[in-house]
Amino acid sequence: MRSRTKALLSAGVALSMVALSACGATAEKGASDAPAADGKPVTGLRIMVPNAAGGGYDTTARTAAKVMEDAKIAAGIQVFNLPGAGGTIGLQRTVNEKGNGKLAMQMGLGVVGASYTSKSKATLTQTTPLAKMIEEAGAIVVPKDSPYKTIGDLVAAWKADPKALAVGGGSSPGGPDHLLPMRLAQAVGIEPKQVNYVSYDGGGELLPALLGSKIAFGASGFGEFSDQVENKSVRVLAVTSEKPVEALKDVPTLKSAGIDLVFTNWRGIVAPPEISDADKLVWIDALTKMHDSEGWKAELAKRGWTDAFMTGDDFGAFLTEQDKAVADLLKELGLAT
């Protein structure tokens, strides 16, 4: 079980405006303005973020939108938040928007897990896959005044009294921020059922809890904390990637600190079911141009994201594989039926 869990996580995980009112949630269902022959930017695109502002999905969506606008790939992109139930409120809205080629949803591994643990009627396999965008290392983060100066310090205190140290994550049970501390606990000899995990709806809610010392440490994607790392209001004790993160050259990996665990998250973007081939092409073309831009490359470096770009059918096959792997894993852990 343990080796299979590790294999699934290594392959499956590596394989992170306010909610709309009912009257304003549905865009007119028609073809998005296709890229013009004269090279004018695409218009009318909207990206839904299925969790709170400030989290990893939110950061990714708003960064992508800004890069596309700065590069004149698209103009007037609307990014909005529709949080709740680990992302499945947004997922249900996306599935309900059948045929709406102007809408897309930012998503990732967390929504895959939440669709099972929340018993969502809507599933990601019902959506139209557009692009896998990034992979991101996890980070073990503490407030600047934390008594734990190294990952070894934290683990020693955690092992001494697991339930006394609350760990926060920006995903519901079954999401990457939940799976990370569970796997870390296993790797250091703590029974996962003893872990005091506190779930927050995205990094936008996780960060205040960390800064306010409501939790002993946070486990989430590095990008969730990049600004706070820069202003030194939090400290990263370790990253969960195979190799050090470029933006955190002095921070050890778990492996280099003697903990045998590698864990990475991924994020992508999907559209509602049954959009036209023309609308699908508009999105994929815009996202591909974004991926190839210097602005996106700069953001990857700044935020410690790993380029993991794939589109269309390739992303669809990956998403189907992920859906099955996560479902099987959560059943083994007793988190899904």
Side-chain angles (χ1 to χ4, degrees):
M1 153 71 181
R2 183 167 174 174
S3 61
R4 184 179 176 192
T5 298
K6 184 174 180 180
L8 280 168
L9 282 169
S10 296
V13 179
L15 291 160
S16 134
M17 302 170 52
V18 183
L20 293 180
S21 63
C23 62
T26 304
E28 179 183 352
K29 290 183 172 63
S32 299
D33 298 334
D38 60 6
K40 290 183 178 179
V42 178
T43 60
L45 302 183
R46 306 168 71 230
I47 303 176
M48 176 197 297
V49 176
N51 59 16
Y57 294 158
D58 189 68
T59 300
T60 306
R62 293 182 189 280
T63 299
K66 184 178 186 303
V67 169
M68 284 192 276
E69 293 197 355
D70 287 350
K72 296 182 170 48
I73 297 164
I77 301 174
Q78 181 190 8
V79 179
F80 63 94
N81 300 81
L82 188 62
T88 58
I89 299 297
L91 175 60
Q92 184 67 65
R93 170 72 63 172
T94 302
V95 170
N96 289 348
E97 293 277 352
K98 182 170 66 175
N100 184 355
K102 293 187 177 184
L103 179 68
M105 182 181 76
Q106 184 70 62
M107 48 72 70
L109 181 64
V111 179
V112 179
S115 68
Y116 288 97
T117 57
S118 298
K119 297 180 172 55
S120 171
K121 291 182 180 179
T123 67
L124 282 163
T125 55
Q126 295 173 276
T127 66
T128 301
L130 296 175
K132 179 186 176 190
M133 300 165 71
I134 61 165
E135 291 178 352
E136 181 181 36
I140 305 302
V141 186
V142 296
K144 65 178 180 180
D145 56 354
S146 169
Y148 311 117
K149 305 303 181 186
T150 68
I151 187 66
D153 293 341
L154 175 63
V155 167
W158 199 25
K159 290 176 70 174
D161 193 353
K163 292 184 178 180
L165 270 68
V167 50
S171 63
S172 58
D177 289 6
H178 171 254
L179 294 175
L180 171 52
M182 298 302 157
R183 288 291 295 119
L184 179 58
Q186 288 180 325
V188 300
I190 296 172
E191 170 56 48
K193 290 182 179 180
Q194 292 186 298
V195 174
N196 180 9
Y197 177 76
V198 183
S199 175
Y200 295 93
D201 192 4
E205 293 187 3
L206 171 61
L207 184 59
L210 183 66
L211 294 175
S213 297
K214 293 181 179 179
I215 52 177
F217 66 103
S220 192
F222 158 65
E224 306 272 2
F225 309 106
S226 57
D227 290 342
Q228 288 70 36
V229 171
E230 188 172 344
N231 67 29
K232 299 184 179 179
S233 57
V234 302
R235 289 185 286 111
V236 180
L237 300 185
V239 293
T240 66
S241 48
E242 183 76 37
K243 298 178 181 180
V245 172
E246 180 67 22
L248 296 170
K249 293 181 179 179
D250 296 329
V251 175
T253 64
L254 290 175
K255 287 190 74 173
S256 69
I259 300 170
D260 188 16
L261 177 64
V262 173
F263 188 103
T264 55
N265 187 18
W266 60 268
R267 296 191 188 116
I269 189 165
V270 297
E274 299 181 26
I275 66 170
S276 69
D277 289 343
D279 283 335
K280 183 177 178 180
L281 181 61
V282 167
W283 277 106
I284 291 178
D285 181 68
L287 291 167
T288 300
K289 288 177 179 176
M290 179 210 71
H291 166 260
D292 294 341
S293 72
E294 292 303 314
W296 184 248
K297 292 172 186 175
E299 291 291 345
L300 292 178
K302 172 185 174 182
R303 300 180 184 279
W305 292 340
T306 299
D307 185 11
F309 195 71
M310 63 170 65
T311 62
D313 292 342
D314 288 340
F315 180 42
F318 172 83
L319 193 53
T320 298
E321 178 183 307
Q322 289 288 282
D323 190 77
K324 183 178 186 308
V326 170
D328 290 346
L329 176 59
L330 293 177
K331 288 175 185 176
E332 288 189 18
L333 296 175
L335 296 173
T337 57

PDB file of all heavy atoms in Angstrom, residues 65-74:
ATOM      1  N   ALA A  65      -3.351  35.736 -17.407  1.00  0.00           N
ATOM      2  CA  ALA A  65      -4.123  36.797 -18.046  1.00  0.00           C
ATOM      3  C   ALA A  65      -3.264  38.040 -18.288  1.00  0.00           C
ATOM      4  O   ALA A  65      -3.323  38.654 -19.366  1.00  0.00           O
ATOM      5  CB  ALA A  65      -5.335  37.152 -17.182  1.00  0.00           C
ATOM      6  N   LYS A  66      -2.458  38.397 -17.307  1.00  0.00           N
ATOM      7  CA  LYS A  66      -1.601  39.580 -17.450  1.00  0.00           C
ATOM      8  C   LYS A  66      -0.574  39.383 -18.557  1.00  0.00           C
ATOM      9  O   LYS A  66      -0.323  40.291 -19.363  1.00  0.00           O
ATOM     10  CB  LYS A  66      -0.898  39.889 -16.136  1.00  0.00           C
ATOM     11  CG  LYS A  66      -0.056  41.177 -16.181  1.00  0.00           C
ATOM     12  CD  LYS A  66       0.575  41.484 -14.846  1.00  0.00           C
ATOM     13  CE  LYS A  66       1.281  42.848 -14.863  1.00  0.00           C
ATOM     14  NZ  LYS A  66       2.300  42.958 -15.917  1.00  0.00           N
ATOM     15  N   VAL A  67       0.035  38.199 -18.599  1.00  0.00           N
ATOM     16  CA  VAL A  67       1.023  37.926 -19.640  1.00  0.00           C
ATOM     17  C   VAL A  67       0.376  38.014 -21.020  1.00  0.00           C
ATOM     18  O   VAL A  67       0.937  38.603 -21.949  1.00  0.00           O
ATOM     19  CB  VAL A  67       1.674  36.548 -19.424  1.00  0.00           C
ATOM     20  CG1 VAL A  67       2.496  36.134 -20.648  1.00  0.00           C
ATOM     21  CG2 VAL A  67       2.560  36.570 -18.188  1.00  0.00           C
ATOM     22  N   MET A  68      -0.828  37.426 -21.165  1.00  0.00           N
ATOM     23  CA  MET A  68      -1.510  37.472 -22.457  1.00  0.00           C
ATOM     24  C   MET A  68      -1.856  38.903 -22.852  1.00  0.00           C
ATOM     25  O   MET A  68      -1.750  39.276 -24.027  1.00  0.00           O
ATOM     26  CB  MET A  68      -2.763  36.594 -22.432  1.00  0.00           C
ATOM     27  CG  MET A  68      -2.453  35.109 -22.532  1.00  0.00           C
ATOM     28  SD  MET A  68      -3.916  34.081 -22.842  1.00  0.00           S
ATOM     29  CE  MET A  68      -4.539  33.884 -21.171  1.00  0.00           C
ATOM     30  N   GLU A  69      -2.260  39.711 -21.884  1.00  0.00           N
ATOM     31  CA  GLU A  69      -2.597  41.098 -22.203  1.00  0.00           C
ATOM     32  C   GLU A  69      -1.349  41.923 -22.511  1.00  0.00           C
ATOM     33  O   GLU A  69      -1.333  42.712 -23.455  1.00  0.00           O
ATOM     34  CB  GLU A  69      -3.402  41.706 -21.063  1.00  0.00           C
ATOM     35  CG  GLU A  69      -4.779  41.057 -20.915  1.00  0.00           C
ATOM     36  CD  GLU A  69      -5.751  41.886 -20.094  1.00  0.00           C
ATOM     37  OE1 GLU A  69      -5.338  42.922 -19.552  1.00  0.00           O
ATOM     38  OE2 GLU A  69      -6.926  41.485 -20.018  1.00  0.00           O
ATOM     39  N   ASP A  70      -0.290  41.725 -21.717  1.00  0.00           N
ATOM     40  CA  ASP A  70       0.948  42.471 -21.957  1.00  0.00           C
ATOM     41  C   ASP A  70       1.540  42.151 -23.329  1.00  0.00           C
ATOM     42  O   ASP A  70       2.128  43.022 -23.982  1.00  0.00           O
ATOM     43  CB  ASP A  70       1.977  42.152 -20.870  1.00  0.00           C
ATOM     44  CG  ASP A  70       1.632  42.786 -19.532  1.00  0.00           C
ATOM     45  OD1 ASP A  70       0.711  43.632 -19.482  1.00  0.00           O
ATOM     46  OD2 ASP A  70       2.282  42.428 -18.519  1.00  0.00           O
ATOM     47  N   ALA A  71       1.393  40.882 -23.731  1.00  0.00           N
ATOM     48  CA  ALA A  71       1.931  40.458 -25.028  1.00  0.00           C
ATOM     49  C   ALA A  71       0.953  40.695 -26.172  1.00  0.00           C
ATOM     50  O   ALA A  71       1.229  40.320 -27.315  1.00  0.00           O
ATOM     51  CB  ALA A  71       2.307  38.974 -24.973  1.00  0.00           C
ATOM     52  N   LYS A  72      -0.210  41.296 -25.846  1.00  0.00           N
ATOM     53  CA  LYS A  72      -1.248  41.590 -26.844  1.00  0.00           C
ATOM     54  C   LYS A  72      -1.753  40.327 -27.540  1.00  0.00           C
ATOM     55  O   LYS A  72      -2.137  40.346 -28.711  1.00  0.00           O
ATOM     56  CB  LYS A  72      -0.749  42.625 -27.854  1.00  0.00           C
ATOM     57  CG  LYS A  72      -0.467  43.984 -27.212  1.00  0.00           C
ATOM     58  CD  LYS A  72      -0.024  45.019 -28.223  1.00  0.00           C
ATOM     59  CE  LYS A  72       0.014  46.444 -27.640  1.00  0.00           C
ATOM     60  NZ  LYS A  72       0.700  46.543 -26.343  1.00  0.00           N
ATOM     61  N   ILE A  73      -1.747  39.238 -26.786  1.00  0.00           N
ATOM     62  CA  ILE A  73      -2.345  37.992 -27.275  1.00  0.00           C
ATOM     63  C   ILE A  73      -3.852  38.047 -27.085  1.00  0.00           C
ATOM     64  O   ILE A  73      -4.628  37.550 -27.903  1.00  0.00           O
ATOM     65  CB  ILE A  73      -1.755  36.784 -26.508  1.00  0.00           C
ATOM     66  CG1 ILE A  73      -0.257  36.681 -26.790  1.00  0.00           C
ATOM     67  CG2 ILE A  73      -2.475  35.492 -26.865  1.00  0.00           C
ATOM     68  CD1 ILE A  73       0.480  35.793 -25.804  1.00  0.00           C
ATOM     69  N   ALA A  74      -4.269  38.640 -25.962  1.00  0.00           N
ATOM     70  CA  ALA A  74      -5.687  38.801 -25.646  1.00  0.00           C
ATOM     71  C   ALA A  74      -5.874  40.140 -24.955  1.00  0.00           C
ATOM     72  O   ALA A  74      -4.926  40.710 -24.406  1.00  0.00           O
ATOM     73  CB  ALA A  74      -6.171  37.658 -24.760  1.00  0.00           C
TER      74      ALA A  74
END
